[in-house]
Amino acid sequence: MRTSAYADLADIHVIGIPRALLQYRYGVLWQTFFEALGKTVVISDETDKAIVDNGIARSVDETCLASKIFMGHVVNLIGRCDAVFVPCYASCDMHRGFCTKFQSMTDLVRNTFRTELRVISLLVENVSDIKATQAAFVELGQRLGASRKESKHAFKEALRAQKEVDGQQAQRQEDVLKLMDEYRGIVAKDPARAEQAPLSILVVAHPYIAFDQYMAGDIIRSLTQLECMPLFACETDHAKSYKASLDFSSTMPWIISRELIGSILMLKDRIDGIILISAFPCGPDSMTDDAIMRCIQGVPILNLMIDAQTGTAGIQTRLESFIDILQFQRRGGYIRAER
Ligand code: SF4
């Protein structure tokens, strides 16, 4: 591999990536990019109590649980890599932005871990501007010792891999929905109604909450044990769900919140219930959850908040009651019971 003139990071061979926040959205892109440059990538472990406690110890009280957990994942990578990758994602475009945590995390980590580990980063000003995003990655690739051509090639390969995974997720969701539609059709034709289709529950949460073992792991496992089919709003086709969200609000700034709301609008007639899961005290969710609860009609919603002190304790009972109510309602519900 030819060494570039800017290769001040060429001595970094093993790159750590915290399994938190935007890693759940762009992790495939990041990992593929670094591996295509010949680097070894270490992803931090699944979130557990130790990671949460370490994250809380390195964070100020006021930050959300998701960013505290991010800090715990950085701790988890100390001694396991030459540098940790903490990119700065500022916005999506002129009208759509990310939560400010994604922008500030590089500085937070650098200031918190000062001498404990090296941090490599890049600035993505506008993620929908592929040329500018590519330029940021190419510059980082060159600093890591790759040539411009090699870095460009690595980015293209990474982008293709991320698009492929996103497409597969959206397709998998559509396949499950079709299967559930067919199942309901068959059950509806059965006059005895001996068999019922599983309840389809749309889990509406940022991907780093929905797929995090500590935050939503127990909830998803319980849904499966209660014979429900969990679907994830964050897996709906991003472009389509963003477009659908314009019917809900023309001014909401947060892109991921928009996609989650768009997913609800697209799927609400094909699901039996919605579970909102937020990390305390999330600024964007405090506004959007309230708007969803008030404005989405015709489908029952359970709103769950996970905080650092209690975790998911006490949530099980609420979850079981919610599913009980949905099942009771499907068997004819309160209207039938009154007859
Ligand atoms: S969107 Fe909410 S949960 Fe996510 S990083 Fe921002 S404040 Fe935290």
Side-chain angles (χ1 to χ4, degrees):
M1 185 180 286
R2 192 167 64 81
T3 303
S4 102
Y6 315 100
D8 57 323
L9 305 174
D11 59 324
I12 292 172
H13 303 293
V14 182
I15 297 171
I17 299 181
R19 192 190 294 267
L21 297 184
L22 287 183
Q23 189 270 341
Y24 283 90
R25 187 176 174 96
Y26 299 122
V28 171
L29 186 147
W30 300 344
Q31 182 165 355
T32 309
F33 176 72
F34 291 127
E35 287 179 347
L37 295 180
K39 306 292 177 187
T40 300
V41 172
V42 178
I43 311 284
S44 56
D45 300 332
E46 292 281 357
T47 309
D48 59 14
K49 184 80 170 64
I51 287 180
V52 176
D53 289 346
N54 284 333
I56 291 170
R58 302 292 188 123
S59 307
V60 291
D61 285 349
E62 289 73 19
T63 55
C64 69
L65 178 59
S67 46
K68 285 175 180 156
I69 285 178
F70 187 95
M71 288 298 193
H73 280 276
V74 176
V75 175
N76 184 260
L77 289 166
I78 294 175
R80 298 172 62 193
C81 55
D82 299 326
V84 68
F85 178 57
V86 186
C88 173
Y89 276 69
S91 77
C92 199
D93 59 29
M94 288 277 284
H95 308 288
R96 299 174 292 171
F98 288 113
C99 170
T100 49
K101 298 283 189 310
F102 308 150
Q103 195 172 356
S104 59
M105 207 41 86
T106 313
D107 288 337
L108 268 173
V109 171
R110 280 202 172 118
N111 286 322
T112 307
F113 293 89
R114 288 173 189 272
T115 56
E116 287 171 280
L117 82 176
R118 286 170 80 184
V119 176
I120 57 170
S121 187
L122 49 73
L123 171 62
V124 178
E125 291 265 24
N126 177 344
V127 79
S128 59
D129 182 343
I130 297 296
K131 271 194 172 172
T133 304
Q134 174 175 294
F137 275 87
V138 168
E139 188 190 334
L140 179 61
Q142 289 181 281
R143 293 185 65 198
L144 286 164
S147 69
R148 186 171 170 73
K149 193 175 167 197
E150 287 164 337
S151 304
K152 256 187 171 178
H153 182 264
F155 179 77
K156 282 187 178 150
E157 198 176 313
L159 196 62
R160 185 198 48 72
Q162 185 68 62
K163 277 187 181 161
E164 195 175 310
V165 168
D166 292 347
Q168 283 167 355
Q169 275 182 353
Q171 188 56 50
R172 209 166 40 232
Q173 184 184 82
E174 191 47 43
D175 290 347
V176 171
L177 281 162
K178 270 192 194 143
L179 210 66
M180 297 295 286
D181 290 344
E182 280 171 24
Y183 203 160
R184 279 196 207 95
I186 293 167
V187 170
K189 281 183 201 152
D190 171 14
R193 298 265 175 114
E195 212 185 325
Q196 285 286 357
L199 293 169
S200 12
I201 305 295
L202 186 65
V203 175
V204 179
H206 296 257
Y208 45 87
I209 296 173
F211 301 122
D212 182 278
Q213 283 306 307
Y214 180 85
M215 285 196 273
D218 284 346
I219 297 169
I220 306 305
R221 274 187 290 280
S222 296
L223 281 176
T224 314
Q225 280 160 11
L226 293 165
E227 295 180 0
C228 299
M229 174 59 74
L231 296 154
F232 298 92
C234 57
E235 289 191 332
T236 306
D237 181 278
H238 292 170
K240 287 182 188 165
S241 54
Y242 170 74
K243 204 169 164 212
S245 78
L246 297 172
D247 288 340
F248 190 85
S249 163
S250 58
T251 53
M252 184 181 292
W254 309 289
I255 179 67
I256 299 180
S257 305
R258 273 197 168 281
E259 290 167 0
L260 297 177
I261 290 173
S263 169
I264 296 177
L265 297 179
M266 286 168 68
L267 306 183
K268 75 183 179 66
D269 297 329
R270 300 172 77 185
I271 53 172
D272 299 295
I274 293 173
I275 299 182
L276 308 177
I277 312 176
S278 300
F280 181 81
C282 173
D285 282 4
S286 65
M287 194 182 131
T288 55
D289 285 358
D290 186 57
I292 291 168
M293 296 293 284
R294 282 187 292 111
C295 301
I296 300 292
Q297 306 288 325
V299 53
I301 304 175
L302 175 67
N303 190 3
L304 300 174
M305 180 74 73
I306 316 291
D307 74 30
Q309 271 68 44
T310 56
T312 53
I315 279 176
Q316 184 68 19
T317 316
R318 293 182 61 200
L319 188 64
E320 283 174 13
S321 306
F322 180 66
I323 300 301
D324 267 359
I325 291 167
L326 293 186
Q327 280 165 345
F328 183 59
Q329 200 61 358
R330 190 164 63 175
R331 289 195 298 269
Y334 298 101
I335 297 168
R336 178 181 286 188
E338 280 166 8
R339 279 181 193 154

